[in-house]
């Protein structure tokens, strides 16, 4: 029986439907802004755009934009988080074809490295331009954005550890964090005007360093 202080059931249902509809419309508006910004980034090959350009491309209002985002930084952060989440899904899918836990980890490391490397043809400025700046200015936000990748690498590390393929002293989560940071830093530092005349670090070298280190085995 409904107590006197509670709204009638019909009213609660009506409010719930209204909230659900409002959330759905807000999500659709956000996605239109994200899609617009992403298309501009692909066209320009950089994150050098204005909020007004995004608003015009999305065919929405400036007021609507600022109801969803504090500004361009928050928009870029949303795109970065979405890109990392999709990258984690892509890496997970690539590892599922491997039976050996250590080989799954190797596939994940190599694909992460390739995804993060500067590649003018691929036009990934969120990783190559925005991410390094974000790491310096907003480290807490970077940590949140990297959560899906860290969770995946931790899972793979734990599987390899359980299979006896890691040293017994290794902490899988800490090693996963170190691996992610090392791979992404090396990848993002591998670009430059002189790459055509030098020998950029390869995925095999990255894996060999992470798996074997540099000290001679005794």
């Amino acid at each position: 029986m409904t107590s006197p202080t509670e709204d009638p059931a019909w009213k609660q249902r009506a409010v719930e439907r209204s909230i659900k509809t409002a959330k759905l419309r807000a999500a659709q508006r956000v996605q239109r802004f994200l899609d617009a910004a992403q298309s501009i980034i692909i066209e320009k090959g950089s994150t050098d755009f204005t909020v007004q350009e995004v608003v015009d491309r999305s065919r929405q209002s400036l007021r609507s934009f600022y109801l969803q985002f504090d500004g361009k930084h928050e928009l870029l952060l949303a795109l970065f988080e979405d890109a990392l989440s999709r990258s984690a899904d892509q890496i997970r899918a690539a590892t599922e074809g491997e039976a050996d836990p250590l080989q799954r980890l190797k596939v994940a490391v190599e694909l992460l490295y390739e995804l993060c490397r500067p590649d003018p043809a691929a036009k990934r400025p969120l990783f190559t331009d925005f991410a390094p700046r974000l790491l310096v200015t907003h480290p807490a936000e970077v940590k949140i954005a990297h959560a899906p990748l860290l969770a995946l690498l931790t899972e793979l590390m734990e599987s390899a550890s359980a299979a006896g393929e890691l040293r017994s002293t290794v902490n899988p989560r800490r090693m996963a964090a170190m691996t992610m940071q090392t791979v992404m830093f090396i990848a993002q530092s591998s670009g430059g005007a002189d790459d055509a005349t030098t020998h950029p670090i390869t995925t095999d070298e990255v894996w060999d360093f992470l798996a074997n280190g540099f000290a001679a085995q005794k």
Side-chain angles (χ1 to χ4, degrees), residues 174-187:
R174 291 175 67 84
M175 192 59 65
M178 293 172 64
T179 296
M180 180 183 70
Q181 292 168 17
T182 300
V183 171
M184 295 184 80
F185 179 82
I186 294 173

Side-chain angles (χ1 to χ4, degrees), residues 66-123:
Y66 283 107
L67 284 174
Q68 317 303 327
F69 302 100
D70 285 341
K72 179 180 175 180
H73 172 80
E74 191 172 356
L75 173 65
L76 286 172
L77 180 61
L79 287 168
F80 182 57
E81 289 181 3
D82 186 59
L84 284 176
S85 180
R86 285 186 282 105
S87 293
D89 290 341
Q90 182 181 350
I91 293 170
R92 181 182 293 279
T95 64
E96 289 175 351
E98 302 292 338
D100 179 67
L102 195 61
Q103 186 61 29
R104 287 202 296 271
L105 187 57
K106 182 175 188 261
V107 168
V109 165
E110 292 182 342
L111 182 52
L112 176 60
Y113 180 68
E114 289 298 336
L115 288 172
C116 294
R117 289 182 66 184
D119 182 356
K123 296 183 179 179

Side-chain angles (χ1 to χ4, degrees), residues 160-178:
S161 180
E165 299 200 67
L166 302 182
R167 297 193 309 274
S168 60
T169 55
V170 165
N171 180 311
R173 181 174 177 79
R174 291 175 67 84
M175 192 59 65
M178 293 172 64

Side-chain angles (χ1 to χ4, degrees), residues 90-163:
Q90 182 181 350
I91 293 170
R92 181 182 293 279
T95 64
E96 289 175 351
E98 302 292 338
D100 179 67
L102 195 61
Q103 186 61 29
R104 287 202 296 271
L105 187 57
K106 182 175 188 261
V107 168
V109 165
E110 292 182 342
L111 182 52
L112 176 60
Y113 180 68
E114 289 298 336
L115 288 172
C116 294
R117 289 182 66 184
D119 182 356
K123 296 183 179 179
R124 296 191 293 258
L126 284 172
F127 287 94
T128 58
D129 300 335
F130 179 66
R133 297 198 305 269
L134 189 67
L135 182 60
V136 175
T137 59
H138 298 78
E141 292 178 352
V142 171
K143 185 176 181 180
I144 294 171
H146 284 161
L149 273 176
L150 179 58
L152 173 58
L153 289 174
T154 298
E155 179 185 321
L156 295 173
M157 282 283 181
E158 288 173 343
S159 295
S161 180

Side-chain angles (χ1 to χ4, degrees), residues 7 13 43 52 57-58 61 64 69 93 109 116 156 160 172 193:
D7 288 330
R13 290 194 298 271
E43 286 178 9
Q52 190 62 54
R57 180 69 62 92
S58 70
S61 68
S64 179
F69 302 100
V109 165
C116 294
L156 295 173

